[in-house]
Amino acid sequence: MVSSYDDHDDPGGDEVHTPISRNKGKRKKTEGFSSSRSEKKRTSKVWEHFTRMKEDNDRAVCNYCGKNMACATKSGTTSLKKHYTLACKAYQAWLSVNKDNNQGALDVEDGNVRVCKVSEFVFREATNEMMVVGELALSWVESVAWKNFCNKTKLYVPHSRRTATRDIVETFVKKKETMKKIINENNQRLSLTTDIWNAPHIGASYMVITAHFIDSSWHLRKLIIGFKNVLLDCLEEWDIKRVYGITVDNATANTSALRRFTEVFIEKNGADALVLDGKFLHFRCATHILNLIVKEGLLEIESSVNAIRNAIYFVRSSTQRQVSFERHVESGRVQRGSLPLDVKTRWNATYLMLEQALKFKLAFEKMEAEDKPYNDYFNEIVDGKKRVGPPSKEDWEAVDRLVQFLIIFYQATLVLSASNH
């Protein structure tokens, strides 16, 4: 959005300020008659809209559209003036924006320049979308920061949180109706996936239900159709009567739940609701299977992993310890995030932690040989037992072999988790 080229000038009124040329005032003056003559010529108002070329003093470039034109000293500036007052569409568009106080922007489409007015409706809609996409609180629209931004950029006065709430709910209802039409357009079967989603601000857990299908244009689509605890209620709400398969994790409870779902869904929607009476309805999540395999493998060298985890925890626990660790790093300063600490329940985080730790193997070995606080840390008693570590040569070798094994599962998980699968 462009409201003015000069933030220090009031865009209202009749006076119009032109954009300042980047090269204005930078051309070196020559001595003698040519210098005074050049300065005399440049007093014309035309030079507020054009800039002479450094390499060729007889040519100038329009500050608006960039057109290169001849401007020989003996020929005057009439042709330049005619260009920006009559022929230059970019100047006319810029002039329109700067002459009134309404919101506007320059839009270049197919080589043509036109003025686009941003309506208050578009401003309000964009504000609501920003709050939803950015997961901002509804009170943000009434914050001092947003009001100051709107005032600085000469936007409209922000609407209230009540209005934002009403607008967002109305948008949700309209989008939902559109999505229902897309889903039911060809009466095709849908595949469903479920997962647990935790709300970041309130900590509540929901079952996210996502529908996957191929539309009439043969494009793979996916839509989140609900945050429900009961799958049947969600399908009924969306009027979904034909399902191909449901992908969930390998928990025993899911097997029993889907068996019950099959019976009720066929009873409600008939024999055509599921393929082969639902014998192949339940799909086990491939990424969850990989997760179980890797976790089982990690148990084989759990003590080695814990030794390295404790060593990283020691370095990250204070600034002083991190500085001490940096003195033992030959490659230079340890950047933020260079030594991540994993989440024990997520093996992919453990893999990334171990992969990074291997890069600083020599530094940890030097810490063990030279740093007394580091060794004292591992002599402490935790829960009646000596803390595991420091990592030995055997620990590093075992983890090195494990990382080469885990990278295959890590890349496979990324592929299976991709949005286009």
Side-chain angles (χ1 to χ4, degrees):
M1 182 179 295
V2 178
S3 59
S4 175
Y5 278 81
D6 190 349
D7 292 334
H8 300 287
D9 294 323
D10 184 4
D14 296 328
E15 185 179 358
V16 177
H17 299 275
T18 58
I20 300 173
S21 168
R22 296 179 180 177
N23 299 322
K24 187 173 182 180
K26 293 184 178 180
R27 190 165 61 88
K28 294 182 179 180
K29 297 180 181 180
T30 56
E31 296 190 11
F33 176 77
S34 60
S35 173
S36 60
R37 185 167 186 175
S38 176
E39 289 180 4
K40 183 178 180 180
K41 283 292 182 182
R42 291 177 70 84
T43 58
S44 171
K45 290 185 177 181
V46 169
W47 298 113
E48 295 177 2
H49 310 278
F50 284 85
T51 303
R52 284 189 184 273
M53 297 182 66
K54 289 183 178 181
E55 59 273 13
D56 188 353
N57 203 41
D58 288 336
R59 301 199 68 83
V61 177
C62 176
N63 293 343
Y64 308 96
C65 66
K67 185 175 181 179
N68 190 321
M69 299 184 65
C71 60
T73 305
K74 60 182 179 181
S75 301
T77 58
T78 304
S79 61
L80 302 182
K81 184 177 181 180
K82 285 183 178 180
H83 168 75
Y84 81 84
T85 55
L86 301 175
C88 184
K89 294 181 179 180
Y91 171 72
Q92 298 300 328
W94 179 86
L95 191 65
S96 299
V97 171
N98 283 270
K99 269 193 171 181
D100 59 45
N101 203 28
N102 296 328
Q103 295 300 320
L106 298 183
D107 184 25
V108 182
E109 184 177 359
D110 299 330
N112 298 319
V113 182
R114 60 191 179 90
V115 178
C116 296
K117 298 295 180 184
V118 178
S119 67
E120 187 173 3
F121 173 78
V122 173
F123 165 75
R124 195 162 116 184
E125 184 180 51
T127 302
N128 294 332
E129 289 175 354
M130 180 167 57
M131 286 193 292
V132 173
V133 175
E135 298 182 4
L136 301 173
L138 291 169
S139 59
W140 174 83
V141 76
E142 296 178 347
S143 66
V144 176
W146 179 237
K147 289 180 179 179
N148 179 67
F149 177 85
C150 294
N151 182 54
K152 271 281 189 182
T153 55
K154 295 181 174 57
L155 295 171
Y156 299 99
V157 177
H159 49 292
S160 67
R161 74 176 75 183
R162 288 180 176 271
T163 303
T165 303
R166 185 175 64 251
D167 289 349
I168 291 172
V169 172
E170 289 177 357
T171 302
F172 168 75
V173 172
K174 291 178 182 178
K175 294 283 187 182
K176 185 176 181 180
E177 289 302 316
T178 302
M179 291 165 66
K180 287 175 72 173
K181 289 180 181 178
I182 294 174
I183 289 177
N184 298 315
E185 186 176 12
N186 297 320
N187 195 31
Q188 72 269 42
R189 295 186 187 276
L190 287 82
S191 292
L192 305 175
T193 58
T194 64
D195 198 2
I196 300 300
W197 179 79
N198 296 312
H201 300 293
I202 61 177
S205 298
Y206 302 91
M207 182 173 70
V208 186
I209 304 170
T210 308
H212 305 261
F213 63 97
I214 297 175
D215 63 13
S216 56
S217 301
W218 290 92
H219 293 146
L220 181 62
R221 302 275 186 175
K222 69 171 184 177
L223 300 172
I224 294 177
I225 61 175
F227 296 87
K228 298 280 187 177
N229 290 323
V230 181
L231 181 59
L232 284 167
D233 291 348
C234 183
L235 298 182
E236 186 176 350
E237 181 182 336
W238 284 81
D239 196 28
I240 296 173
K241 299 179 179 180
R242 304 178 78 219
V243 174
Y244 180 78
I246 302 177
T247 302
V248 293
D249 59 32
N250 294 281
T252 306
N254 287 333
T255 303
S256 303
L258 285 177
R259 189 181 299 116
R260 176 60 181 162
F261 170 85
T262 301
E263 296 172 0
V264 177
F265 196 67
I266 291 178
E267 184 181 345
K268 277 189 174 183
N269 302 295
D272 190 48
L274 302 174
V275 178
L276 296 175
D277 296 328
K279 291 180 181 179
F280 304 100
L281 175 71
H282 185 187
F283 289 92
R284 274 73 176 175
C285 178
T287 55
H288 186 253
I289 294 173
L290 290 178
N291 185 52
L292 295 176
I293 295 172
V294 173
K295 282 188 174 181
E296 193 70 23
L298 286 173
L299 293 176
E300 296 295 322
I301 59 168
E302 185 177 13
S303 60
S304 298
V305 174
N306 286 335
I308 294 178
R309 182 186 289 119
N310 289 336
I312 294 175
Y313 183 81
F314 171 84
V315 173
R316 289 168 54 97
S317 59
S318 72
T319 304
Q320 184 179 358
R321 290 176 175 179
Q322 185 170 345
V323 171
S324 175
F325 179 75
E326 287 178 355
R327 288 199 293 265
H328 297 87
V329 177
E330 295 180 354
S331 58
R333 183 174 175 81
V334 179
Q335 300 297 325
R336 183 179 180 182
S338 297
L339 278 176
L341 196 62
D342 70 332
V343 180
K344 294 182 181 180
T345 56
R346 298 180 181 179
W347 71 265
N348 54 341
T350 302
Y351 160 73
L352 294 174
M353 177 191 73
L354 297 176
E355 183 189 38
Q356 284 296 103
L358 285 170
K359 298 177 182 178
F360 299 98
K361 174 186 173 184
L362 292 177
F364 281 111
E365 290 176 345
K366 289 181 179 179
M367 287 276 287
E368 183 180 1
E370 303 172 4
D371 198 306
K372 186 178 184 298
Y374 178 74
N375 291 283
D376 291 342
Y377 173 76
F378 289 101
N379 290 325
E380 295 175 359
I381 304 300
V382 180
D383 297 330
K385 296 181 181 179
K386 177 180 173 294
R387 181 178 277 115
V388 180
S392 63
K393 180 181 179 182
E394 290 74 18
D395 292 331
W396 288 111
E397 290 175 352
V399 166
D400 187 32
R401 290 193 298 269
L402 176 67
V403 166
Q404 295 179 33
F405 171 76
L406 289 182
I407 189 172
I408 301 172
F409 288 87
Y410 181 75
Q411 292 174 347
T413 301
L414 292 179
V415 171
L416 292 171
S417 302
S419 59
N420 59 342
H421 290 282

